[in-house]
Structures are given as C-alpha cells and as structure tokens.
Amino acid sequence: MQWFFENDYTPPVFTAEQHIHSGHVSGPVSALPPRAVAFCLGRGLPVLQERFQTHVLMDALPGFISHSPALTIAGNCNVCFHDGGRGAPQAACYAETLHALGVQELLVVGLCGAFGEDVNVGDVLLPRRLLVEEGASRHYSAEPIWAVPEGFGPSLGDFLAEAGFTVKKYDTVTTDAVYRQTYYKEALWREKGCAGVDMEASAYVSLCNYYGMKCRVALMASDKHPLTPNSPPWDWGSLDFRSQRDNFIEACVQWAIK
C-alpha cells in the first residue's frame, strides 16, 4: 500500500508549528538550540541530570503524543536534551516538533537487540544505513527501504572507542513489532548486513532527511538474540550492562557538547 505520493503538493491538515501555537499546548514554548540529543531509553535524562549540571529550557515539549522536558547543560546553550519517545510514531512526532522549533542536528541515542553473529551486549552500533520496517517513514518517502543518516560533527566512533567502548559500524533495522522478530526474518536481516534492531531510529533518520536536518544514531546492544532455536535462549542485559549503559549515555552527551 502506497502512503506517500510524489504528486501530492497539498499541505498537511495541521502541522507541528500550528500545533505548537494551538490551544492544545499549555505553558511557554521557546526556540530550541541548533543541536539536540534524543534519548530513546529510559535512563537518558536521569543520567544526564545525575552527571551534569542541567537547566530546564522547557518544562514540556509541545509534542502531539508525549511531552518530555527539554534540558540544557550549564555553560552550553547550543545543545538540548530530551526523551525521544518509544516507537516510530513518537519518534516522528518529536522529530517534527524539533524541526519546527529550530533544531538542525540530531543525535539519537538508544538501545538495540543484537542478532549479529559477532555483536555482544554492551557493544555500540553506529549504523550507516537503517532498514525501514516501521510505518512512520512510509509517510515521508515513497517505498523507503533504507534510511541513511547524514552525519555531522567529529567522528563519534573514534570518540566512543577512545572512551573504551567496543564500536561496530553495522547496519541496523527499526521495527514496529518486537514480538514478530522471527528466526527466519532475523536471518534475512543478517543477509542484508544488519546486526541490531530498535524501534525508533529509522523514523528519526527519515524525518531528518525529509526536512534537511543532519542526524547520527548510536545504539548500545542491550540483549543478544539467539541465532537459531537451538541457541541459548534470549536474555536481557549482562552483569555490568547497567554501568556500561550509563557510561555510554554520558559519553554521547560529552560528544554532543564538544
């Protein structure tokens, strides 16, 4: 089914900018810095507040689905941080809102399930391409297969490697259905060169590309999928995963404010 039409020049019925200024939004709204970090994991903002001196830029972003606060770090007003939501619909709404409020560069920080043969819990994937298996991207491009981020800033891979993380530049896939990651499908994903799966990243990349925003994606493997039904069963995390995850969040923040 086609959801995006090349000859459709009509405007949306209502836009993120119109929503921002509508009666549905309560509280003050301000422009955002040119660079933003979207945490698509629950510990993102808490780690930021625990390890950095933060200021509230906005109590709640005027998003259509959810309303994360927007924070900055003391002494650095050029980067803002927010919770990036869960799933492609929230990601798309946040990306629309960020664009309407002036963001030009976006770092997406999240977790992924690892199904690559040589990817382990705690490894960091920096995908050059993201296979689109979510629905939001299909409203912004005709028959999208891959979402390809246009990067910005110094090498994120080098920075994370110097911080002690195992970095792998494998492609990933974004899905809408976590309980339909069958062995057959994951084998097909591996054949395409993918090694990890999340629920938000390709939607963020697709919308950034649509609006001419630059984007990077960093995903830490939080769990290792069994490669066959006879492999050890699925399990989440590892003995030291929580500390690895929190240090990964801090390192991404440090890179974003460089």
Side-chain angles (χ1 to χ4, degrees), residues 27-32 55-62 68-72 101:
V29 176
S30 62
L32 294 177
H55 296 301
V56 176
L57 180 63
M58 204 181 311
D59 288 327
L61 288 171
S68 166
L71 306 179
T72 59
L101 292 174

Short mmCIF file of all heavy atoms in Angstrom, two decimals, residues 27-32 55-62 68-72 101:
data_model
loop_
_atom_site.label_atom_id
_atom_site.label_comp_id
_atom_site.label_asym_id
_atom_site.label_seq_id
_atom_site.Cartn_x
_atom_site.Cartn_y
_atom_site.Cartn_z
N GLY A 27 1.47 26.31 28.66
CA GLY A 27 2.81 26.61 29.13
C GLY A 27 3.63 27.28 28.05
O GLY A 27 3.31 27.22 26.86
N PRO A 28 4.73 27.92 28.44
CA PRO A 28 5.56 28.65 27.48
C PRO A 28 6.33 27.72 26.55
O PRO A 28 6.72 26.63 26.93
CB PRO A 28 6.52 29.44 28.38
CG PRO A 28 6.60 28.64 29.65
CD PRO A 28 5.23 28.04 29.82
N VAL A 29 6.51 28.19 25.33
CA VAL A 29 7.28 27.46 24.31
C VAL A 29 8.38 28.38 23.80
O VAL A 29 8.12 29.56 23.51
CB VAL A 29 6.37 27.01 23.14
CG1 VAL A 29 7.20 26.35 22.05
CG2 VAL A 29 5.29 26.07 23.64
N SER A 30 9.59 27.86 23.69
CA SER A 30 10.70 28.67 23.21
C SER A 30 11.42 27.93 22.08
O SER A 30 11.27 26.71 21.92
CB SER A 30 11.70 28.96 24.35
OG SER A 30 12.24 27.76 24.85
N ALA A 31 12.20 28.67 21.31
CA ALA A 31 13.02 28.05 20.27
C ALA A 31 14.07 27.15 20.92
O ALA A 31 14.50 27.37 22.06
CB ALA A 31 13.69 29.13 19.43
N LEU A 32 14.48 26.10 20.20
CA LEU A 32 15.48 25.16 20.70
C LEU A 32 16.84 25.47 20.09
O LEU A 32 16.93 26.10 19.03
CB LEU A 32 15.07 23.73 20.37
CG LEU A 32 13.81 23.21 21.06
CD1 LEU A 32 13.50 21.80 20.58
CD2 LEU A 32 13.96 23.24 22.58
N HIS A 55 19.88 22.64 33.23
CA HIS A 55 18.85 23.66 33.37
C HIS A 55 17.65 23.26 32.52
O HIS A 55 17.81 22.65 31.45
CB HIS A 55 19.36 25.03 32.91
CG HIS A 55 20.48 25.57 33.73
ND1 HIS A 55 20.38 25.80 35.08
CD2 HIS A 55 21.75 25.93 33.38
CE1 HIS A 55 21.53 26.28 35.54
NE2 HIS A 55 22.38 26.35 34.53
N VAL A 56 16.47 23.58 32.99
CA VAL A 56 15.26 23.29 32.23
C VAL A 56 15.05 24.41 31.21
O VAL A 56 14.84 25.57 31.59
CB VAL A 56 14.04 23.17 33.15
CG1 VAL A 56 12.77 22.97 32.32
CG2 VAL A 56 14.23 22.02 34.14
N LEU A 57 15.12 24.04 29.95
CA LEU A 57 14.85 25.01 28.89
C LEU A 57 13.35 25.12 28.64
O LEU A 57 12.83 26.21 28.38
CB LEU A 57 15.57 24.57 27.61
CG LEU A 57 15.42 25.46 26.38
CD1 LEU A 57 16.02 26.84 26.63
CD2 LEU A 57 16.11 24.81 25.17
N MET A 58 12.67 23.98 28.73
CA MET A 58 11.23 23.95 28.53
C MET A 58 10.66 22.83 29.40
O MET A 58 11.21 21.73 29.40
CB MET A 58 10.90 23.71 27.05
CG MET A 58 9.53 24.21 26.62
SD MET A 58 9.20 23.88 24.85
CE MET A 58 10.70 24.49 24.08
N ASP A 59 9.61 23.12 30.13
CA ASP A 59 9.04 22.10 31.01
C ASP A 59 8.50 20.91 30.23
O ASP A 59 8.56 19.77 30.69
CB ASP A 59 7.92 22.69 31.87
CG ASP A 59 8.46 23.62 32.94
OD1 ASP A 59 9.57 23.37 33.44
OD2 ASP A 59 7.76 24.60 33.28
N ALA A 60 7.95 21.17 29.06
CA ALA A 60 7.38 20.09 28.26
C ALA A 60 7.41 20.49 26.79
O ALA A 60 6.88 21.55 26.42
CB ALA A 60 5.95 19.79 28.68
N LEU A 61 8.05 19.68 25.97
CA LEU A 61 7.99 19.92 24.53
C LEU A 61 6.54 19.77 24.06
O LEU A 61 5.83 18.89 24.54
CB LEU A 61 8.87 18.92 23.79
CG LEU A 61 10.39 19.13 23.91
CD1 LEU A 61 11.14 17.94 23.31
CD2 LEU A 61 10.82 20.42 23.22
N PRO A 62 6.11 20.62 23.15
CA PRO A 62 4.71 20.58 22.72
C PRO A 62 4.45 19.47 21.71
O PRO A 62 3.99 19.71 20.60
CB PRO A 62 4.51 21.97 22.12
CG PRO A 62 5.85 22.34 21.60
CD PRO A 62 6.85 21.76 22.55
N SER A 68 8.07 15.44 26.77
CA SER A 68 9.32 15.41 27.53
C SER A 68 9.79 16.82 27.83
O SER A 68 9.63 17.74 27.02
CB SER A 68 10.40 14.69 26.71
OG SER A 68 11.68 14.90 27.25
N PRO A 69 10.44 17.02 28.99
CA PRO A 69 11.12 18.30 29.20
C PRO A 69 12.31 18.43 28.26
O PRO A 69 12.84 17.43 27.77
CB PRO A 69 11.57 18.22 30.66
CG PRO A 69 11.67 16.75 30.94
CD PRO A 69 10.58 16.11 30.14
N ALA A 70 12.71 19.65 27.99
CA ALA A 70 13.92 19.92 27.22
C ALA A 70 14.94 20.53 28.18
O ALA A 70 14.65 21.53 28.84
CB ALA A 70 13.63 20.87 26.07
N LEU A 71 16.12 19.92 28.26
CA LEU A 71 17.14 20.35 29.20
C LEU A 71 18.39 20.81 28.46
O LEU A 71 18.66 20.37 27.34
CB LEU A 71 17.52 19.20 30.14
CG LEU A 71 16.39 18.51 30.91
CD1 LEU A 71 16.94 17.39 31.78
CD2 LEU A 71 15.63 19.51 31.77
N THR A 72 19.14 21.69 29.09
CA THR A 72 20.47 22.07 28.61
C THR A 72 21.46 21.86 29.75
O THR A 72 21.08 21.67 30.90
CB THR A 72 20.52 23.53 28.14
OG1 THR A 72 20.14 24.38 29.24
CG2 THR A 72 19.59 23.77 26.96
N LEU A 101 10.88 23.83 15.95
CA LEU A 101 11.47 24.70 16.97
C LEU A 101 12.93 25.06 16.69
O LEU A 101 13.59 25.64 17.54
CB LEU A 101 11.36 24.04 18.35
CG LEU A 101 9.93 23.91 18.89
CD1 LEU A 101 9.91 23.13 20.19
CD2 LEU A 101 9.30 25.29 19.10
#
